[in-house]
Amino acid sequence: MKKVPTLDIRRYETDRDAFVAELGAAYREFGFCCISGHGIPKEEIDAAYEAFQAFFALPDDVKRKYHIPGGGGARGYTPFKVETAKDSKFADLKEFWHVGREIPRDSKYADVMPPNVWPAEVPTFHKTGYGLYEALDNLGSRVLRALALHINLPEHFFDDKVNSGNSILRPIHYPPITQTDVPNVRAGAHEDINFITLLVGASTAGLEVFSEGEWLPITSEGDAIVVNIGDMLQRLTNHVYPSTTHRVTNPAGDAARKPRYSVPFFLHPNPDVVLDVLPSCITPDNPKRYPEPITAHEYLQERLREIKLI
């Protein structure tokens, strides 16, 4: 069976050309790659997971204090069975929290990037959660530099397009499945909206990617973080980097009775970045697929409506 590769990002400094070629090839084929050697300490990841698990263990009425009606789930808590994969009849079997970028409240993006809220009941949530946000934001920028080089752009092409990105850290809790005839999977087949997604330390198996007509399980090795392409980067690169369909399945047997936790980081561009196909990604074999440009913020709003978050 084919397998999504794991690549050590330290080779970007020691063996750059080969690393960029291998990374680009992985994304062209799968839209996914596992990144090791990223330097985010396991202790930091574990501490953040502990804080997130402590929050999800709180009583429902306490968690719902942090649900912001009309906020589209942009910050704080979103309850179980709200988000629904595009075109799916069933809501996903999950609850989650959103941490966003801390920006000055007089920033030009303040109207579309609200302040964070933090659960008072879990004192470590703020420090560990935002620490992980910043670590993944930094790692995502490094991955984007390699992706830029692979399509003959300057190394730092994306830097000023994501430095105030509307990026989201999303701790997710998939509660144990207790009924036998659940019609829906934990997270329905979908593509991500953003530039790239970094998934750190999924606690159990279940993530699958659709490739050439079959579902491939993604299992990360050691400290590897799963990084996949989102629709905004697919659009910008004219599908040179594909945003691949993926899902989280329900495990068989006793494993279904265990909770699952995962923490994806959705790296978004700055809200006013215009998603217009890069000229370098237009060829006779791959003509321009998107004649109309759209800003990242307008595109995000479109997609949030489709998945029933707004």
Side-chain angles (χ1 to χ4, degrees):
M1 182 188 263
K2 288 196 309 178
K3 191 175 172 196
V4 172
T6 297
L7 299 177
D8 188 328
I9 197 167
R10 288 172 294 194
R11 290 176 51 220
Y12 185 69
E13 304 304 333
T14 59
D15 187 18
R16 180 164 297 184
D17 291 349
F19 175 79
V20 166
E22 289 171 37
L23 187 79
Y27 281 116
R28 284 171 182 261
E29 180 173 3
F30 297 107
F32 273 75
C33 187
C34 300
I35 302 290
S36 65
H38 46 73
I40 303 175
K42 184 176 185 299
E43 301 75 42
E44 281 184 27
I45 295 169
D46 290 348
Y49 261 88
E50 280 173 26
F52 302 151
Q53 289 175 12
F55 171 77
F56 289 123
L58 293 170
D60 191 58
D61 60 331
V62 175
K63 290 186 287 192
R64 285 178 182 270
K65 285 194 313 192
Y66 299 101
H67 177 54
I68 302 167
R75 300 290 183 270
Y77 176 65
T78 295
F80 191 54
K81 281 192 174 180
V82 171
E83 185 173 11
T84 305
K86 185 182 173 186
D87 301 327
S88 174
K89 293 207 260 311
F90 304 106
D92 289 345
L93 304 177
K94 67 187 181 193
E95 57 180 344
F96 56 88
W97 183 281
H98 273 181
V99 176
R101 186 180 302 281
E102 299 277 5
I103 58 170
R105 294 327 298 168
D106 59 356
S107 160
K108 65 177 176 177
Y109 302 128
D111 58 332
V112 296
M113 292 167 63
N116 280 308
V117 294
W118 303 104
E121 294 78 4
V122 185
T124 55
F125 195 110
H126 185 167
K127 184 178 179 205
T128 60
Y130 203 68
L132 187 57
Y133 183 107
E134 292 183 309
L136 291 170
D137 194 34
N138 180 40
L139 176 60
S141 295
R142 291 164 64 197
V143 173
L144 284 172
R145 285 172 197 151
L147 288 175
L149 291 175
H150 182 70
I151 52 174
N152 302 313
L153 295 171
E155 178 187 6
H156 295 283
F157 176 81
F158 289 108
D159 286 15
D160 65 352
K161 297 168 184 65
V162 298
N163 57 353
S164 291
N166 193 6
S167 302
I168 293 289
L169 184 76
R170 174 189 275 192
I172 305 173
H173 172 223
Y174 302 93
I177 297 165
T178 50
Q179 31 188 137
T180 51
D181 55 345
V182 177
N184 41 340
V185 293
R186 281 179 155 172
H190 65 282
E191 299 80 43
D192 291 345
I193 299 170
N194 40 295
F195 261 3
I196 57 174
T197 301
L198 298 90
L199 178 68
V200 58
S203 63
T204 54
L207 179 64
E208 295 182 343
V209 57
F210 195 67
S211 177
E212 294 184 359
E214 59 179 337
W215 288 100
L216 301 179
I218 298 220
T219 46
S220 55
E221 301 157 15
D223 71 342
I225 287 174
V226 179
V227 184
N228 64 279
I229 306 294
D231 287 353
M232 290 187 187
L233 194 60
Q234 171 177 265
R235 185 181 180 117
L236 195 68
T237 63
N238 209 30
H239 292 233
V240 170
Y241 291 135
S243 174
T244 311
T245 304
H246 53 286
R247 66 184 183 185
V248 179
T249 59
N250 305 336
D254 288 344
R257 307 217 172 343
K258 295 178 182 163
R260 181 182 196 271
Y261 298 92
S262 72
V263 183
F265 177 78
F266 300 109
L267 191 150
H268 281 260
N270 303 355
D272 52 3
V273 164
V274 177
L275 304 174
D276 195 9
V277 174
L278 295 164
S280 61
C281 295
I282 302 169
T283 63
D285 295 339
N286 188 23
K288 188 173 183 178
R289 297 167 190 248
Y290 301 98
E292 295 299 321
I294 186 171
T295 68
H297 180 66
E298 289 167 334
Y299 186 76
L300 175 62
Q301 297 304 299
E302 234 174 61
R303 292 294 303 279
L304 291 176
R305 282 190 285 273
E306 289 176 351
I307 61 172
K308 302 186 171 52
L309 280 182
I310 58 174

